[in-house]
Amino acid sequence: NAGVTQTPKFRVLKTGQSMTLLCAQDMNHEYMYWYRQDPGMGLRLIHYSVGEGTTAKGEVPDGYNVSRLKKQNFLLGLESAAPSQTSVYFCASMPDSGANVLTFGAGSRLTVL
Amino acid sequence: GENVEQHPSTLSVQEGDSAVIKCTYSDSASNYFPWYKQELGKGPQLIIDIRSNVGEKKDQRIAVTLNKTAKHFSLHITETQPEDSAVYFCAARDSSASKIIFGSGTRLSIRP
């Protein structure tokens, strides 16, 4: 049982390049989340999904897009990366609205030059 | 939407002493307040949580208190040990029950 797996773990991009972060969970969880972690800013919610085929905006959605085509996968896309998107990105999942515990992945460190 | 503020941002305590981290939230409809611990290079993990119908909850050396009227909650760690060194996040589940909003984190260091 792997839990929540994020790929890649590290990536360096140039300004303007695009990329996709993949989050996969094998726990059959309905809810999935993308957070970014920056020094002094804590964990800020980018986008989330409450089920296959659904997505919703969080606190800081600008510059990101997401897709949840399959229940087990939640993709975070950067269409045109900017230095301000340099961060550590965490994916998390939760069974459903009746549960409360988030299971986090190990994080993906993204640097935009 | 929900806003969670956390302080202090850094905290250093002598091993064996107690540590207290405080948080406030803005949405009076929020009803669930977890605390997560993040060790270096890892994702956060839940250590304790409290629901709005409870004023205090304890689990061995850690406890959480909630004051709904004042909209603040606190984490208390007693008899601190070196393995307590980590970043701690408070959070609140917003009234839609879909989002969990985090505070800015507290880096706790335990001095030997």
Side-chain angles (χ1 to χ4, degrees):
Chain A
N1 191 342
V4 177
T5 302
Q6 294 181 227
T7 52
K9 288 184 170 48
F10 301 94
R11 183 75 186 269
V12 178
L13 286 177
K14 294 182 180 179
T15 298
Q17 288 185 318
S18 63
M19 75 157 296
T20 300
L21 295 175
L22 170 63
C23 177
Q25 53 95 2
D26 61 1
M27 300 171 286
N28 202 36
H29 285 178
E30 289 290 337
Y31 288 24
M32 296 186 75
Y33 303 82
W34 276 108
Y35 290 89
R36 60 177 289 174
Q37 182 176 17
D38 304 289
M41 304 293 286
L43 291 160
R44 292 183 291 169
L45 181 62
I46 305 171
H47 286 281
Y48 64 101
S49 167
V50 298
E52 180 179 313
T54 75
T55 62
K57 294 180 180 180
E59 302 169 277
V60 288
D62 293 343
Y64 304 94
N65 57 75
V66 287
S67 64
R68 184 98 182 269
L69 299 180
K70 292 183 178 181
K71 185 176 183 178
Q72 64 267 35
N73 295 336
F74 194 30
L75 278 63
L76 178 70
L78 286 72
E79 289 188 349
S80 180
S84 61
Q85 294 177 305
T86 293
S87 187
V88 180
Y89 293 85
F90 285 97
C91 177
S93 69
M94 191 161 69
D96 53 38
S97 62
N100 294 302
V101 182
L102 286 171
T103 299
F104 280 87
S108 298
R109 182 176 293 276
L110 175 65
T111 301
V112 183
L113 303 176
Chain B
E2 177 67 276
N3 183 51
V4 177
E5 296 190 354
Q6 180 174 349
H7 60 94
S9 57
T10 60
L11 180 61
S12 178
V13 301
Q14 194 76 31
E15 182 178 350
D17 287 350
S18 297
V20 180
I21 303 170
K22 298 182 179 182
C23 291
T24 61
Y25 62 98
S26 62
D27 186 352
S28 57
S30 292
N31 59 11
Y32 173 71
F33 307 93
W35 286 87
Y36 284 77
K37 176 183 181 181
Q38 184 182 29
E39 296 178 341
L40 195 62
K42 298 183 179 180
Q45 284 194 307
L46 179 75
I47 55 171
I48 195 168
D49 55 13
I50 190 168
R51 295 182 182 274
S52 58
N53 58 349
V54 175
E56 184 174 358
K57 183 178 179 180
K58 191 173 182 180
D59 182 4
Q60 299 183 347
R61 294 187 298 108
I62 61 173
V64 57
T65 59
L66 171 65
N67 183 326
K68 279 196 68 178
T69 303
K71 291 189 285 186
H72 66 70
F73 56 114
S74 300
L75 177 71
H76 304 253
I77 305 175
T78 59
E79 301 174 10
T80 52
Q81 300 171 3
E83 55 264 35
D84 295 330
S85 293
V87 178
Y88 292 81
F89 292 99
C90 63
R93 187 165 185 172
D94 80 332
S95 53
S96 75
S98 301
K99 296 183 288 187
I100 295 183
I101 303 300
F102 285 81
S104 55
T106 297
R107 183 173 298 277
L108 175 63
S109 300
I110 308 301
R111 303 190 304 271

